[in-house]
Amino acid sequence: MASIRLSVPATAKRGDVIELKALIQHPMESGYRRGSRGEAIPRNIITRFECRYDGETVFAADFHPGIAADPFLTFHTRATRSGPVLFRWTDQHGESWQETAMLTVT
Amino acid sequence: MIRLSGLGLALVAVAACTPAAPPETHLDAPFERLQSGYDFLTPETQALQDDTFSNPGYLWVDRGAELFNTSDADAPSCASCHTTGLAGVAASYPAIDSDSGQLLNLEGRINTCRERHQHLPALDYESDALRALSAYIANQSHGLPLSVDISGAAATHYANGRDYFFTRRGQLNLSCHQCHDQNAGKRLRGDTISQGHGNGFPAYRLEWQTLGSLQRRIFDCDTGVRAEPLPLGSQTYIDLELYLSARANGLAMESPAIRR
Amino acid sequence: MTSDLSFPERRTLIRLGAASMIVSAIPLTALADPADLTSAQRRLFGDREIKQGRVTLKLPAIAENGYSVPLSVDVDSPMTESDHVRQIAIFSPRNPIAEIVRFELGPRAGRASVSTRIRLGGTQTVQAVAELSDGSLWSGAAKTVVTLAACVVL
């Protein structure tokens, strides 16, 4: 299961800088922990996060095991035109998920 | 780093303590004022709990809403029977199931509905789905006061839970009472011992890096005193949950809370 | 490590308890040493000079638990086509891997202000390095005291 909570304003004025937030459900298993029987728990992390809007990647991030479980991000973009804001995240195995929110620019 | 001052005194106090008959309210709690575990967090952690977007516990609340409203191929959805939601219900759990006469906590209640009304197998105790459903239902009581009923058939469960709370156990030979009644507010290895209420659960513990049940928290406290913990879902832990809730009756529900 | 515990036997027990739990919760590898931090920075930015300033990094003075520490970083930049932040990397001198996260920004970001939650393997001074569109590198730092939760079990 991979779920995400997105915070994108429904509307914005052209030229305004808007705040975007994402909270992704993921254990971000660091690979440095041991289970109850002493076995090493293998690393399992999201490695890449991207936000695309109006034809361009407006923000991206490379994650390492130092990012907390259930990664949280706040960042910004300038409202240019109405359309989808797309969030995509990819794990170390190359599996990726995406979710979009609509932004209306007036 | 290790601070357990006061527990030496506590040992003496407990030896002299003869528990009275179960009272109707939280008379056992020696506090002038009930204080949620929230009050013992740093402002940053409190802010995380209060932020209904970035509090990660809401990932499970969202997922629980999804599960609640989705019907399986051969079973009606929870929502198809519970059309008006379950506001306030979690604040009154554990409660006696009138059909079976059993004391059920919220997790047990959900699983009873799965078996009795959906004819689906019970969910594993700390499974993602059970945590999600219980978080979703508990969150519908957010801000409401705990109000469990300890009369009638619940009375013996209450007494049993109270008993567990006052019994010393583990290599450290400590009872819940010694830490959470007698040493609340004191420091223990860089942490502060709270009054030990369950009003925030299911809660997202930073230490777990996930959301977990009240029983998992109790399991950790038992492990902490080097006692053999009980299996999650065991009747004694449900009875203990009833005692904890009765002891905190009136305290506002906070699930999904953030805890250390 | 001070202790105001009155019974030495019990202290020993607690120590043992804490020690055995630590195995399961604390990173297995040695903590990153400063060399790692330097080489991580070199990998991203080469040998270019890193100046202090323009970058404001915020961490709580006290973090209750190293598993989740709120962090925010702001870079003083107009974020225009000709003058903007290209990337910001966050480094730890004490984690098993020095590079915690790297953000890619551009003029479309509008504001060079990002926040997230990170893991810290102990009390330390975290560093943020920003690369601007003119190729210059700027840094800011913040110290946080990490209180290991009571113990890993309680």
Short mmCIF file of all heavy atoms in Angstrom, two decimals, chain A residues 14 19 21 25 32 34 37 51 57 62-63 74 79 81 86-87 96:
data_model
loop_
_atom_site.label_atom_id
_atom_site.label_comp_id
_atom_site.label_asym_id
_atom_site.label_seq_id
_atom_site.Cartn_x
_atom_site.Cartn_y
_atom_site.Cartn_z
N ARG A 14 -2.43 34.17 -10.45
CA ARG A 14 -1.24 34.02 -11.29
C ARG A 14 -0.07 34.81 -10.69
O ARG A 14 -0.23 35.97 -10.32
CB ARG A 14 -1.54 34.52 -12.71
CG ARG A 14 -0.45 34.18 -13.72
CD ARG A 14 -0.79 34.69 -15.12
NE ARG A 14 -2.17 34.33 -15.53
CZ ARG A 14 -2.52 33.15 -16.03
NH1 ARG A 14 -1.62 32.23 -16.25
NH2 ARG A 14 -3.79 32.91 -16.34
N GLU A 19 2.19 27.25 -1.33
CA GLU A 19 2.85 26.21 -0.54
C GLU A 19 2.23 24.86 -0.88
O GLU A 19 1.01 24.72 -0.92
CB GLU A 19 2.65 26.52 0.94
CG GLU A 19 3.41 25.58 1.85
CD GLU A 19 3.11 25.87 3.32
OE1 GLU A 19 1.96 25.62 3.77
OE2 GLU A 19 4.02 26.33 4.02
N LYS A 21 2.33 20.62 0.06
CA LYS A 21 2.79 19.68 1.09
C LYS A 21 2.46 18.26 0.66
O LYS A 21 1.43 18.02 0.01
CB LYS A 21 2.07 19.93 2.42
CG LYS A 21 2.40 21.26 3.06
CD LYS A 21 1.85 21.25 4.46
CE LYS A 21 1.37 22.63 4.87
NZ LYS A 21 0.80 22.61 6.20
N GLN A 25 2.95 7.61 3.05
CA GLN A 25 3.03 6.48 3.98
C GLN A 25 4.11 5.51 3.48
O GLN A 25 3.96 4.90 2.43
CB GLN A 25 1.68 5.77 4.05
CG GLN A 25 1.64 4.71 5.14
CD GLN A 25 0.22 4.29 5.45
OE1 GLN A 25 -0.63 4.29 4.57
NE2 GLN A 25 -0.04 3.93 6.69
N TYR A 32 19.59 -0.29 8.84
CA TYR A 32 20.53 -0.33 9.96
C TYR A 32 19.91 -0.93 11.21
O TYR A 32 20.48 -0.88 12.28
CB TYR A 32 21.02 1.08 10.29
CG TYR A 32 21.79 1.69 9.17
CD1 TYR A 32 21.34 2.83 8.51
CD2 TYR A 32 22.98 1.10 8.74
CE1 TYR A 32 22.05 3.38 7.46
CE2 TYR A 32 23.69 1.64 7.69
CZ TYR A 32 23.22 2.78 7.05
OH TYR A 32 23.93 3.31 6.02
N ARG A 34 17.88 -4.06 13.48
CA ARG A 34 17.73 -5.50 13.61
C ARG A 34 16.34 -5.83 14.13
O ARG A 34 15.79 -5.08 14.92
CB ARG A 34 18.78 -6.06 14.58
CG ARG A 34 20.18 -6.12 13.98
CD ARG A 34 21.09 -6.93 14.89
NE ARG A 34 22.46 -6.93 14.38
CZ ARG A 34 22.89 -7.75 13.43
NH1 ARG A 34 22.06 -8.62 12.89
NH2 ARG A 34 24.14 -7.70 13.03
N ARG A 37 14.59 -10.99 16.47
CA ARG A 37 15.46 -12.17 16.58
C ARG A 37 16.90 -11.86 16.14
O ARG A 37 17.67 -12.78 15.87
CB ARG A 37 14.88 -13.32 15.75
CG ARG A 37 13.95 -14.22 16.57
CD ARG A 37 12.99 -15.03 15.71
NE ARG A 37 11.73 -14.35 15.51
CZ ARG A 37 11.37 -13.70 14.40
NH1 ARG A 37 12.18 -13.65 13.37
NH2 ARG A 37 10.21 -13.10 14.32
N CYS A 51 7.81 16.74 -8.20
CA CYS A 51 6.55 17.45 -8.38
C CYS A 51 6.59 18.14 -9.74
O CYS A 51 7.46 18.96 -10.00
CB CYS A 51 6.35 18.49 -7.28
SG CYS A 51 4.87 19.48 -7.54
N THR A 57 9.32 19.99 -14.09
CA THR A 57 9.55 19.56 -12.71
C THR A 57 9.88 20.82 -11.92
O THR A 57 10.89 21.47 -12.17
CB THR A 57 10.71 18.56 -12.64
OG1 THR A 57 10.34 17.41 -13.41
CG2 THR A 57 10.98 18.13 -11.21
N ASP A 62 16.10 13.86 -3.61
CA ASP A 62 16.70 12.54 -3.43
C ASP A 62 16.64 12.22 -1.95
O ASP A 62 17.17 12.97 -1.13
CB ASP A 62 18.19 12.57 -3.85
CG ASP A 62 18.36 12.54 -5.35
OD1 ASP A 62 17.39 12.20 -6.05
OD2 ASP A 62 19.47 12.87 -5.82
N PHE A 63 16.01 11.09 -1.61
CA PHE A 63 15.92 10.69 -0.21
C PHE A 63 16.98 9.65 0.11
O PHE A 63 17.28 8.78 -0.71
CB PHE A 63 14.56 10.04 0.08
CG PHE A 63 13.39 10.98 0.15
CD1 PHE A 63 12.11 10.49 0.32
CD2 PHE A 63 13.56 12.36 0.06
CE1 PHE A 63 11.01 11.33 0.39
CE2 PHE A 63 12.47 13.22 0.13
CZ PHE A 63 11.19 12.69 0.29
N THR A 74 7.40 20.00 2.69
CA THR A 74 6.73 21.26 2.35
C THR A 74 7.66 21.99 1.39
O THR A 74 8.85 22.09 1.65
CB THR A 74 6.55 22.16 3.58
OG1 THR A 74 5.85 21.43 4.58
CG2 THR A 74 5.75 23.40 3.24
N ALA A 79 2.39 30.00 -9.05
CA ALA A 79 1.21 29.65 -9.85
C ALA A 79 1.34 30.28 -11.22
O ALA A 79 1.52 31.49 -11.34
CB ALA A 79 -0.05 30.14 -9.14
N ARG A 81 -0.37 28.57 -14.47
CA ARG A 81 -1.65 28.38 -15.16
C ARG A 81 -2.43 27.21 -14.57
O ARG A 81 -1.85 26.35 -13.90
CB ARG A 81 -1.42 28.17 -16.66
CG ARG A 81 -0.84 26.81 -16.99
CD ARG A 81 -0.93 26.53 -18.45
NE ARG A 81 0.18 27.17 -19.16
CZ ARG A 81 0.37 27.06 -20.47
NH1 ARG A 81 -0.48 26.38 -21.20
NH2 ARG A 81 1.41 27.61 -21.05
N LEU A 86 1.28 17.33 -10.26
CA LEU A 86 1.51 15.89 -10.15
C LEU A 86 2.65 15.59 -9.18
O LEU A 86 3.71 16.21 -9.25
CB LEU A 86 1.82 15.32 -11.53
CG LEU A 86 2.06 13.81 -11.63
CD1 LEU A 86 1.53 13.28 -12.94
CD2 LEU A 86 3.54 13.47 -11.50
N PHE A 87 2.40 14.65 -8.29
CA PHE A 87 3.42 14.22 -7.33
C PHE A 87 3.78 12.79 -7.66
O PHE A 87 2.90 11.94 -7.80
CB PHE A 87 2.86 14.27 -5.90
CG PHE A 87 2.48 15.64 -5.44
CD1 PHE A 87 1.34 16.29 -5.93
CD2 PHE A 87 3.26 16.30 -4.50
CE1 PHE A 87 0.99 17.57 -5.50
CE2 PHE A 87 2.91 17.57 -4.07
CZ PHE A 87 1.78 18.20 -4.56
N SER A 96 7.11 2.99 -8.76
CA SER A 96 6.73 4.37 -8.48
C SER A 96 5.21 4.53 -8.43
O SER A 96 4.46 3.71 -8.95
CB SER A 96 7.37 5.32 -9.47
OG SER A 96 6.71 5.22 -10.71
#
